[in-house]
């Protein structure tokens, strides 16, 4: 008897182990690529184009300096080849300092280099080590990104407004489709979705021209209005399916106790529908945050954050580390939003007090 | 008394329309006009301005049309099925109350939270020959010194597989959160009752959970279906225009890559209409088959 | 839970309300220029007597972040200090810029004052009538001569609409690791295309992997890379008697195809060449060692580690060094409220000393003002510019006859398809039937003059 119980215990333990094994594997599949792009954003330009790519950025860079054909030859220690690789031969010390800053992420002044050159008289070549500035890509990104803060605030406003428009207008319709029987219900519900079936890319420009003619040129609200179009359709369907899952009897029960239909909705149904609303809000937020096509055309002095990032990075070929940093900066608000909204998406049954 | 009840009854009949109307007014103001323009354009001859089916003839005889249709179909069938099952699996895992579930949900949602810039940098450095995927394989000893895998060179099939996998990685969370939201509205008592009557996890899932989840599944799948048929960005990021034609990629191609070709406006309009018809039909058929319209109808 | 949720909802509401209010304050700054002026004066520091203005310069050039940084800090800032005019420099893709200005023109909100455009797209702007004539402006400059090489699309029916500010040609760049395979007795500065092919094949054999980079993704730069080689084999530049660029099936073109097909058959191209849309990344990752490409891209790679790369003029053929030459130029947008300030900026950017500064600092572009040549120094960057100028002066150069064709993207595609079918997947020989067929496709795209 007791051995059987022991066996059961072991079995359950094994099951648990297996479960966590699956979860951990999934975490690796999800996190792996994210880890690399985050790591990439801290690498120096030189590291970002080396192979094999380092998993983590180097904290220091080892240099070698000697006489060269044009002036002084600068070499950099390569962690993979395990030797010094010559990179720059110049007598322009300003250029050398800039190179060490922009390509290797080490802050070096002309005086520093002059000091090393002075040492060349005693020993040739000279070796020296500099600390790498891990935030180098981020500082560069903010240097070239004009109006980062105002555009960030503007983008957040646009997102909030988009969520508000889509959830209110779409949520109402979703509730109607879930709760009422009425003529043309299926047809209307289907046509609400039609907006997403028509390839938006084909009408982006004419739609934006209409907005501009209506006086929404270069105004955040104009973009919210554009973004809400697609999101309303989503919200209608998501909220409808969620409201359908909430037993109508709960509302009726509340009404029996004297609540009005509106009160019943606000106190009972809405809290239960929160996961669905959160999911719809998430869609709206991400869509509005990342969009550039309409934003590029419809803004000039009041660009969104996605537009200023686009402008900084559109030509960032050969600077993938910088693009990664820009991508990460852009991801901070969305990841934060995701972090907080997850509570509402996974809100366990019974979390509502009646 | 009866008058009052009548007005209450009328009110009840009007209410749903009042709730639905704002959506359609919104569409009417901001969306209908350009769409109608596009629809009309697809039926007109650009030079004479007369009614013509030339756009459709052009598209249907385009040598890229059949490959585009085929590639799109392959991507849609595989990715929608795969993404749905993986998303459902994830949602069911996260619904369980285990240590770290909440953080796991956050991590599972991460891919959808990343902006295109970050995702672009991720796969560009990942799949290139001297990229991080090969680096990683090299570090764990899977790739011997000097050997490399050419992820981006190879057959159409290989590229299709890559597109499907990368797309799945990013969109599974968006399917999952809808399913998860739906799962949480299923009263625990019902599932518990299932266990009490001797069901195991899978019978309860099949007999109780999934049927109750049906409206949510329909929403999640139909939204995904609509988006999957319109896939294009990931395709051109990986292989560029024209090498692996898909339907919406053709619209973008005629809009942006060869906008000045005489036939471009017609091609774009024709492809737009054909995509719209295909997406609507697919959505309609799916909703019909899954019974979305029969429920409560006439009830 | 309930409390938290209420709080969250309230927070969303408050933020949204804020957002809803925001547009009003924003419009004020847009619609009342006086307010903007005040803002601007604060940032300029130097007290200026002329009322300060903000110019918007949209550009599809200087997109790489390092170039943007240089252009803003080293070129535009001195201008702002000199004139009190603030310049809002915005990088944007050519297509997007055109769309944006289209919306501005159609709705009357002209907020973009100047556009810096690739000369291949000049005709979009002149055809649409979005840019103003500049003859009067240019005629007042007496101290500079704008090279006429790039007037082709900038001047329409005798009227100038664009002023070029920098030019580009094609150059050879090699990773120094490739130099070990350079056939004996070959001088990199006088390389022929046949030697280039031999070199590429030697590398592929020695390394077991092709190392030549061209852009295999359709509608990128292959047409120019091929076109440069065909010009070397005797193809006439555009505008001259046929066969002239772009051409697929003539004798010189076929000779060029044969050279490329030879590389293709020996697997001399990098294995993922069909996925390359720009040779900078592959060259920097050392997936590729060898390329003949646009001088700005060459400059970018070279600057990443000067001691690891070697730059040379484009290879030559029987007809000499052939290259496609392009330019970027500035136009003033019709309907601008800041015309005088825009003219001032244009004048500033074409000064010879500023020309040299711009083109040197942004890595490998070529000045387009004749007087600028006196300002070149001894730095490697100067050498690249000098080499490029040499090609521009002595080589067989062709402009892009974009307006002769319905759509340039479709023209590019013809060459991309031949590359894929014959060079990459072929057996190393020239399939004349395939070339003739491609030529027919190309000719069908010609517009009647």
């Amino acid at each position: 008897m007791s051995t059987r119980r022991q066996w059961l215990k072991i079995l359950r333990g094994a099951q648990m182990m297996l479960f966590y094994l699956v979860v951990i594997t999934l975490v690796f599949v999800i996190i792996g690529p994210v880890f690399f792009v985050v790591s990439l954003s801290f690498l120096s330009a030189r590291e970002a184009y080396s192979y094999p790519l380092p998993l983590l950025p180097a904290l220091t860079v080892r240099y070698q300096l000697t006489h060269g054909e044009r002036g002084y030859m600068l070499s950099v220690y390569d962690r993979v080849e395990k030797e010094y690789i010559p990179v720059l031969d110049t007598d322009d010390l300003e250029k050398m300092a800039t190179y060490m800053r922009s390509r290797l992420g080490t802050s070096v002044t002309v005086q520093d280099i002059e000091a090393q050159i002075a040492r060349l008289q005693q020993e040739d070549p000279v070796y020296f080590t500099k600390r790498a500035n891990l935030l180098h890509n981020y500082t560069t990104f903010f240097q070239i990104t004009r109006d980062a803060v105002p555009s960030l605030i503007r983008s957040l406003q646009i997102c909030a407004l988009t969520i508000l428009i889509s959830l209110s207008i779409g949520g109402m319709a979703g509730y109607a489709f879930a709760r009422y029987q009425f003529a043309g219900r299926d047809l209307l519900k289907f046509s609400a979705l039609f907006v997403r079936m028509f390839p938006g890319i084909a009408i982006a420009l004419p739609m934006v021209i209409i907005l501009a003619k209506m006086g929404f040129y270069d105004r955040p609200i104009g973009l919210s209005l554009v973004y809400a179009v697609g999101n309303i359709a989503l919200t209608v369907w998501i909220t409808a399916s969620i409201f359908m899952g909430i037993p109508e009897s709960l509302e009726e029960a509340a009404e029996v106790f004297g609540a009005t239909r509106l009160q019943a909705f606000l106190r009972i149904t809405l809290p239960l529908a929160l996961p669905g609303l959160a999911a719809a809000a998430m869609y709206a937020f991400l869509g509005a945050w990342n969009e550039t096509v309409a934003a590029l055309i419809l803004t000039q002095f009041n660009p969104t954050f996605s537009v200023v990032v686009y402008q900084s990075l559109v030509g960032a070929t050969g600077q993938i580390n910088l693009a990664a940093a820009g991508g990460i900066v852009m991801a901070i608000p969305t990841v934060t939003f995701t972090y907080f909204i997850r509570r509402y998406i996974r809100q366990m049954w019974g979390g509502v007090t009646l | 008394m009866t008058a009052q009840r009548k007005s209450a009854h009328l009110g009840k009949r009007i209410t749903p329309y009042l709730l639905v109307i704002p959506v359609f007014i919104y569409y009417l103001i901001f969306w209908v006009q350009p769409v109608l323009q596009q629809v009309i354009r697809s039926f007109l001859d650009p030079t004479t301005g007369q009614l013509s089916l030339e756009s459709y003839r052009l598209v249907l005889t385009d040598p890229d049309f059949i490959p585009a249709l085929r590639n799109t179909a392959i991507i849609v069938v595989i990715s929608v099925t795969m993404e749905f099952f993986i998303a459902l699996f994830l949602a069911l895992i996260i619904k369980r109350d285990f240590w770290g579930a909440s953080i796991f949900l956050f991590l599972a949602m991460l891919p959808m939270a990343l902006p295109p810039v970050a995702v672009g940098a991720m796969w560009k450095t990942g799949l290139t020959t001297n990229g991080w995927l090969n680096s990683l394989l090299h570090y764990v000893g899977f790739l011997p010194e000097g050997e490399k895998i050419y992820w981006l060179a190879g057959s159409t099939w290989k590229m299709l597989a890559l597109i499907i996998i990368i797309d799945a990685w990013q969109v599974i969370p968006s399917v999952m959160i809808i399913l998860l939201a739906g799962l949480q509205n299923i009263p625990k008592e019902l599932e518990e009752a299932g266990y009490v009557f001797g069901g195991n996890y899978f019978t309860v899932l099949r007999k109780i959970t999934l049927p109750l989840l049906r409206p949510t599944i329909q929403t999640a799948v139909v939204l995904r279906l609509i988006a999957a048929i319109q896939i294009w960005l990931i395709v051109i990021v990986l292989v560029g225009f024209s090498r692996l034609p898909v339907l919406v990629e053709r619209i973008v191609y005629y809009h942006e890559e060869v906008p000045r070709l005489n036939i471009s406006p017609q091609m774009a309009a024709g492809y737009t209409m054909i995509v719209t018809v295909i997406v609507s039909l697919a959505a309609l058929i799916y909703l019909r088959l899954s019974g979305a319209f029969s429920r409560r109808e006439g009830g | 839970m309930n409390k938290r949720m209420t709080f969250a909802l309230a927070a969303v509401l408050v933020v949204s309300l804020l957002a809803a209010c925001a547009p009003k304050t924003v419009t004020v700054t847009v619609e009342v220029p006086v307010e903007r002026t005040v803002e601007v004066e604060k940032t300029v520091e130097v007290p200026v007597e002329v009322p300060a203005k903000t110019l918007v310069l949209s550009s599809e050039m200087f997109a790489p972040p390092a170039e943007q940084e240089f252009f803003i800090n080293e070129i535009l800032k001195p201008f702002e200090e000199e004139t009190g005019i603030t310049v809002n420099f915005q990088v944007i893709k050519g297509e997007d810029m055109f769309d944006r200005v289209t919306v501005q023109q159609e709705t009357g909100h002209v907020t973009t004052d100047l556009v810096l455009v690739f000369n291949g797209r000049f005709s979009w702007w002149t055809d649409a009538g979005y840019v103003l004539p500049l003859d009067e402006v240019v005629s007042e400059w007496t101290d500079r001569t704008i090279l006429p090489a790039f007037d082709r699309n900038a001047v329409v029916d005798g009227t100038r609409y664009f002023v070029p500010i920098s030019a580009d040609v094609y150059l050879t760049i090699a990773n120094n690791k490739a130099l070990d395979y350079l056939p004996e007795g070959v001088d990199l500065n006088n390389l022929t295309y046949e030697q280039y092919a031999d070199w590429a094949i030697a590398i592929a054999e020695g390394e077991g992997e092709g190392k030549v980079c061209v852009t295999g993704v359709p509608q990128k730069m292959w047409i120019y890379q091929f076109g440069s080689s065909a010009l070397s084999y005797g193809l006439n530049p555009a505008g001259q008697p046929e066969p002239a660029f772009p051409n697929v099936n003539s004798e010189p073109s076929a000779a060029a195809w044969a050279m490329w097909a030879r590389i293709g058959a020996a697997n001399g191209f990098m294995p993922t060449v069909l996925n390359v849309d720009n040779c900078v990344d592959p060259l920097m990752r050392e997936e590729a060692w060898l390329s003949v490409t646009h001088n700005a891209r060459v400059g970018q790679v070279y600057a990443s580690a000067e001691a690891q790369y070697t730059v040379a003029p484009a290879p030559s053929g029987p007809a000499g060094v052939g290259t496609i030459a392009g330019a970027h130029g500035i136009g003033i947008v019709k309907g601008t409220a800041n015309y005088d300030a825009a003219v001032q900026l244009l004048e500033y950017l074409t000064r010879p000393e500023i020309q040299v500064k711009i083109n040197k600092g942004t890595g490998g572009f070529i000045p387009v003002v004749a007087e600028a040549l006196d300002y070149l120094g001894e730095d490697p960057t100067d050498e690249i510019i000098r080499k490029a100028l040499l090609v521009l002066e002595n080589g067989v150069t062709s402009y892009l006859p974009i307006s002769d064709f319905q759509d340039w993207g479709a023209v590019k595609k013809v060459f991309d398809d031949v590359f894929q079918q014959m060079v990459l997947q072929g057996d190393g020989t020239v399939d004349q039937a395939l070339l003739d067929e491609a030529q027919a496709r190309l000719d069908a795209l010609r517009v009647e003059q």
Side-chain angles (χ1 to χ4, degrees):
Chain A
M1 196 66 189
S2 71
T3 50
R4 202 177 149 197
R5 197 170 292 162
Q6 260 176 346
W7 271 114
L8 268 176
K9 221 173 177 182
I10 291 170
L11 202 71
R12 194 157 299 158
Q15 221 176 354
M16 206 61 195
M17 280 248 300
L18 196 72
F19 176 77
Y20 274 102
L21 213 65
V22 170
V23 169
I24 288 167
T25 314
L26 285 170
V27 168
F28 269 104
V29 171
I30 298 163
I31 291 300
V34 180
F35 167 79
F36 269 98
V37 80
V38 173
S39 152
L40 192 62
S41 75
F42 292 106
L43 297 183
S44 72
R46 192 173 172 79
E47 285 175 308
Y49 285 88
S50 58
Y51 181 82
L53 265 167
L55 292 176
L56 292 169
L59 297 175
T60 56
V61 180
R62 286 158 65 186
Y63 290 106
Q64 181 201 58
L65 195 69
T66 179
H67 291 283
E69 278 171 38
R70 292 178 192 281
Y72 301 98
M73 174 66 90
L74 181 74
S75 302
V76 181
Y77 187 74
D78 188 302
R79 284 193 282 173
V80 179
E81 307 280 333
K82 299 207 171 16
E83 58 178 340
Y84 284 89
I85 313 274
V87 287
L88 183 65
D89 181 2
T90 184
D91 57 356
D92 183 348
L93 300 188
E94 187 106 27
K95 181 175 174 178
M96 191 177 278
T98 310
Y99 182 86
M100 292 161 90
R101 198 163 50 238
S102 68
R103 306 300 308 178
L104 292 137
T106 51
S107 34
V108 178
T109 61
V110 173
Q111 285 75 30
D112 292 339
I113 301 175
E114 276 168 353
Q116 300 301 334
I117 287 172
R119 277 174 60 204
L120 264 180
Q121 287 173 343
Q122 281 94 46
E123 42 177 337
D124 189 3
V126 294
Y127 296 91
F128 58 102
T129 303
K130 288 281 169 193
R131 213 160 52 83
N133 174 6
L134 294 185
L135 291 177
H136 175 74
N137 296 322
Y138 289 91
T139 37
T140 313
F141 175 78
F142 280 108
Q143 269 165 9
I144 60 166
T145 305
R146 288 184 158 194
D147 302 332
V149 174
S151 64
L152 192 118
I153 294 169
R154 201 174 297 127
S155 269
L156 289 174
Q157 289 174 340
I158 291 173
C159 289
L161 208 55
T162 309
I163 294 176
L164 190 78
I165 298 173
S166 348
L167 287 199
S168 55
I169 295 185
M172 272 178 358
Y175 186 75
F177 288 128
R179 279 286 184 270
Y180 293 91
Q181 296 304 316
F182 54 99
R185 171 174 157 271
D186 285 342
L187 180 71
L188 284 175
K189 194 178 170 196
F190 187 74
S191 53
L193 198 55
F194 191 72
V195 173
R196 293 192 80 84
M197 302 185 193
F198 195 91
I201 194 97
I203 53 161
L205 196 59
M207 197 158 128
V208 162
I209 289 178
I210 290 175
L211 258 301
K213 282 188 176 152
M214 290 168 98
F216 292 113
Y217 182 72
D218 210 15
R219 292 169 60 178
I221 176 118
L223 285 172
S224 299
L225 292 171
V226 176
Y227 301 154
V229 170
N231 281 312
I232 288 174
L234 268 174
T235 314
V236 168
W237 273 70
I238 295 176
T239 51
S241 67
I242 299 300
F243 285 133
M244 258 187 228
I246 300 167
E248 210 171 345
S249 52
L250 284 178
E251 273 174 66
E252 280 160 7
E255 281 176 67
V256 166
F257 287 109
T260 64
R261 181 121 206 188
L262 185 68
Q263 282 173 327
F265 172 77
L266 288 179
R267 298 289 305 276
I268 313 283
T269 313
L270 198 61
L272 284 173
L274 211 57
L277 291 175
M282 174 108 182
Y283 268 103
F285 184 89
L286 295 178
W289 180 259
N290 290 329
E291 205 278 347
T292 51
V293 177
L296 265 172
I297 304 172
L298 206 54
T299 63
Q300 179 83 72
F301 298 109
N302 300 298
T304 64
F305 195 62
S306 64
V307 167
V308 298
V309 172
Y310 162 98
Q311 283 170 341
S312 303
L313 300 179
V314 65
T317 41
Q319 278 167 290
I320 197 80
N321 48 328
L322 190 63
I328 298 299
V329 171
M330 241 196 118
I332 290 171
T334 52
V335 169
T336 315
F337 186 80
T338 310
Y339 184 80
F340 286 107
I341 204 142
R342 82 177 199 289
R343 295 161 186 276
Y344 300 105
I345 287 180
R346 186 177 175 278
Q347 176 203 44
M348 295 319 280
W349 181 254
V352 183
T353 46
L354 285 176
Chain B
M1 194 68 179
T2 43
Q4 215 174 13
R5 192 181 294 165
K6 221 176 207 170
S7 79
H9 186 65
L10 188 70
K12 196 156 191 186
R13 272 178 50 192
I14 292 179
T15 315
Y17 294 104
L18 288 180
L19 290 173
V20 169
I21 276 173
V23 172
F24 290 92
I25 292 180
Y26 197 93
Y27 287 176
L28 206 67
I29 298 175
F30 297 114
W31 181 76
V32 167
Q33 196 189 331
V35 170
L36 281 183
Q37 277 173 0
Q38 189 77 14
V39 174
I40 293 167
R41 191 175 301 153
S42 77
F43 288 105
L44 288 184
D45 186 303
T47 44
T48 62
Q50 290 189 328
L51 201 65
S52 150
L53 290 176
E54 184 63 11
S55 304
Y56 297 90
R57 195 193 63 80
L58 277 173
V59 171
L60 295 176
T61 55
D62 178 14
D64 281 330
F65 176 66
I66 297 296
L69 199 63
R70 190 200 59 208
N71 292 335
T72 310
I74 292 170
I75 292 174
V76 169
V77 170
I78 299 179
S79 62
V80 174
T81 323
M82 181 175 83
E83 286 161 14
F84 168 71
F85 282 110
I86 297 179
L88 182 66
F89 177 68
L90 279 174
L92 287 170
I93 286 186
I94 291 167
K95 194 193 151 222
R96 292 178 60 163
D97 224 352
F98 66 92
W99 183 84
S102 174
I103 279 302
F104 182 59
L105 170 63
F106 169 62
L107 294 178
M109 277 158 67
L110 261 191
M112 80 183 278
L114 294 180
V117 184
V119 177
M122 180 187 293
W123 296 116
K124 243 182 169 169
T125 40
L127 295 170
T128 191
T129 310
N130 287 354
W132 59 252
L133 208 49
N134 277 348
S135 304
L136 192 66
L137 293 175
H138 174 84
Y139 286 127
V140 297
F142 190 81
L143 270 185
E145 188 71 39
E147 264 184 55
K148 280 166 195 171
I149 298 175
Y150 300 111
W151 300 99
L152 290 173
S155 65
T156 311
W157 298 110
K158 188 171 159 192
M159 290 299 136
L160 275 175
L162 270 184
I163 287 164
I164 290 171
I165 291 170
I166 291 176
D167 182 58
W169 187 84
Q170 216 191 354
V171 305
I172 282 173
S174 61
V175 183
M176 179 201 70
I177 59 171
I178 299 178
L179 294 176
L180 189 60
L183 275 176
Q184 290 168 63
N185 280 326
I186 296 169
K188 244 190 182 137
E189 296 80 15
L190 288 178
E191 291 185 348
E192 275 161 9
Y195 288 114
V196 169
F197 286 107
N200 62 25
Y201 183 77
F202 291 101
T203 48
V204 170
L205 183 67
R206 205 158 47 90
K207 295 252 164 88
I208 295 173
T209 314
L210 290 184
L212 284 170
L213 193 63
R214 196 157 72 164
T216 317
I217 291 179
Q218 283 161 350
T219 298
V221 173
V222 88
L223 289 177
R224 189 61 218 133
L225 187 68
I226 291 170
I229 299 177
Q230 300 184 54
I231 194 170
W232 68 276
L233 189 59
I234 182 79
V235 178
I236 64 144
V237 166
L238 276 189
V239 298
F241 283 99
S242 303
R243 285 278 155 70
L244 195 87
V246 291
L247 291 170
V248 173
E249 176 257 2
R250 292 286 88 194
I251 303 177
V252 184
Y253 178 76
Y254 285 105
H255 250 282
E256 286 172 12
E257 289 293 289
V258 292
R260 309 190 140 228
L261 221 49
N262 291 342
I263 56 164
S264 286
Q266 286 168 293
M267 276 290 198
Y271 266 110
T272 303
M273 292 310 296
I274 286 175
V275 168
T276 310
V277 170
I278 290 176
V279 179
S280 318
L281 278 181
L284 205 60
I285 291 171
Y286 167 74
L287 291 173
R288 267 278 135 104
L289 288 181
S290 67
F293 291 143
S294 55
R295 284 160 54 86
R296 299 194 191 191
E297 191 68 308
Chain C
M1 199 67 196
N2 225 348
K3 262 187 201 159
R4 214 186 293 156
M5 182 200 68
T6 325
F7 175 75
L9 282 177
V12 168
L13 217 74
V14 170
V15 175
S16 317
L17 284 177
L18 274 177
C21 298
K24 281 175 207 146
T25 55
V26 170
T27 21
V28 170
T29 50
V30 174
E31 286 172 1
V32 188
V34 185
E35 290 227 359
R36 286 201 72 80
T37 316
V38 174
E39 260 178 41
V40 165
E41 273 182 346
K42 261 185 247 158
T43 55
V44 167
E45 284 179 37
V46 192
V48 275
E49 278 161 36
V50 264
K53 281 198 174 126
T54 298
L55 277 177
V56 175
L57 168 59
S58 276
S59 166
E60 59 175 311
M61 201 195 183
F62 305 134
E67 294 179 17
Q68 276 188 52
E69 200 183 348
F70 176 84
F71 192 72
I72 292 170
N73 292 332
E74 307 292 326
I75 305 292
L76 294 179
K77 211 160 255 162
F79 174 75
E80 292 176 356
E81 281 161 14
E82 184 183 307
T83 59
I85 300 168
T86 314
V87 183
N88 185 344
F89 180 71
Q90 302 181 328
V91 172
I92 181 166
K93 275 189 216 152
E95 296 84 354
D96 295 332
M97 194 202 299
F98 190 75
D99 282 351
R100 185 187 250 192
V101 174
T102 301
V103 170
Q104 293 180 8
Q105 293 286 333
E106 288 195 12
T107 59
H109 301 277
V110 179
T111 48
T112 302
D113 301 302
L114 300 119
V115 287
L116 174 45
V117 183
F118 171 53
N119 73 339
R121 267 184 277 275
F122 282 174
S123 57
W124 291 16
W125 295 82
T126 50
D127 289 355
Y130 292 169
V131 280
L132 295 172
L134 299 172
D135 293 303
E136 260 177 60
V137 175
V138 175
S139 64
E140 281 178 20
W141 304 336
T142 48
D143 58 338
R144 64 203 82 165
T145 327
I146 293 165
L147 293 176
F150 304 102
D151 281 355
R152 189 69 52 170
N153 298 307
V155 180
V156 181
D157 298 331
T159 308
R160 176 180 290 281
Y161 291 94
F162 281 97
V163 177
I165 67 158
S166 74
D168 38 73
V169 295
Y170 280 64
L171 296 174
T172 307
I173 182 156
N175 189 309
N176 288 346
K177 290 179 185 169
L179 297 180
D180 298 342
Y181 292 97
L182 194 63
E184 220 155 296
V186 172
D187 172 15
L188 196 52
N189 282 312
N190 291 303
L191 191 72
T192 68
Y193 267 108
E194 295 302 328
Q195 289 167 339
Y196 181 78
D198 294 337
W199 188 14
I201 293 166
I203 296 170
E205 279 168 2
E207 293 291 315
E209 181 185 86
K211 289 290 189 184
V212 174
C213 181
V214 298
T215 58
V217 165
Q219 273 125 353
K220 301 296 176 190
M221 289 153 84
W222 166 245
I223 185 175
Y224 311 131
Q225 296 177 312
F226 171 78
S228 299
S229 70
L231 291 167
S232 307
Y233 281 92
L235 188 68
N236 284 333
Q240 290 184 19
E242 291 293 328
F245 175 81
N247 167 287
V248 188
N249 71 340
S250 66
E251 210 173 299
S253 300
W257 283 120
M259 181 272 302
W260 290 110
R262 205 150 65 82
I263 299 178
N267 291 324
F269 294 102
M270 49 184 292
T272 53
V273 67
L274 282 180
N275 276 86
V276 174
D277 60 358
N278 185 323
C279 284
V280 171
D281 276 9
L283 283 165
M284 282 175 58
R285 286 206 176 86
E286 304 196 325
E287 290 169 15
W289 285 358
L290 205 55
S291 187
V292 178
T293 189
H294 188 281
N295 60 354
R297 307 290 87 81
V298 166
Q300 232 180 320
V301 176
Y302 185 63
S304 77
E306 288 182 5
Q308 283 180 293
Y309 297 95
T310 304
V311 178
S316 62
V321 177
T323 181
I324 300 295
H328 284 78
I330 296 193
I332 300 179
V333 178
K334 197 175 81 185
T336 169
N338 305 311
Y339 179 77
D340 292 335
V343 169
Q344 269 179 283
L345 179 61
L346 207 54
E347 186 276 322
Y348 170 80
L349 290 176
T350 47
R351 289 179 198 165
E353 71 276 17
I354 300 296
Q355 274 282 300
V356 172
K357 200 172 161 193
I358 294 174
N359 289 290
K360 260 189 75 172
T362 51
F365 285 102
I366 310 163
V368 288
V369 172
E371 289 77 1
L373 311 188
D374 311 335
Y375 292 83
L376 282 179
E378 291 302 320
D379 199 67
T381 335
D382 296 285
E383 270 175 45
I384 294 185
I385 293 180
R386 208 171 270 124
K387 274 173 188 164
L389 274 168
L390 222 70
V391 171
L392 205 56
E393 276 172 37
N394 308 326
V396 188
T397 61
S398 176
Y399 69 95
L400 307 179
I402 289 176
S403 48
D404 295 353
F405 294 87
Q406 263 181 49
D407 185 288
W408 191 248
V411 172
K412 285 179 165 183
K413 183 74 176 6
V414 173
F415 289 83
D416 296 323
D417 288 346
V418 177
F419 174 74
Q420 188 186 11
Q421 288 163 24
M422 196 179 80
V423 175
L424 220 52
Q425 291 159 6
D427 56 2
T429 58
V430 170
D431 179 350
Q432 190 64 37
L434 189 138
L435 294 187
D436 293 343
E437 194 192 317
Q439 184 67 39
R441 270 172 68 198
L442 188 65
D443 290 335
L445 291 169
R446 259 176 227 281
V447 287
E448 305 295 321
Q449 288 291 337

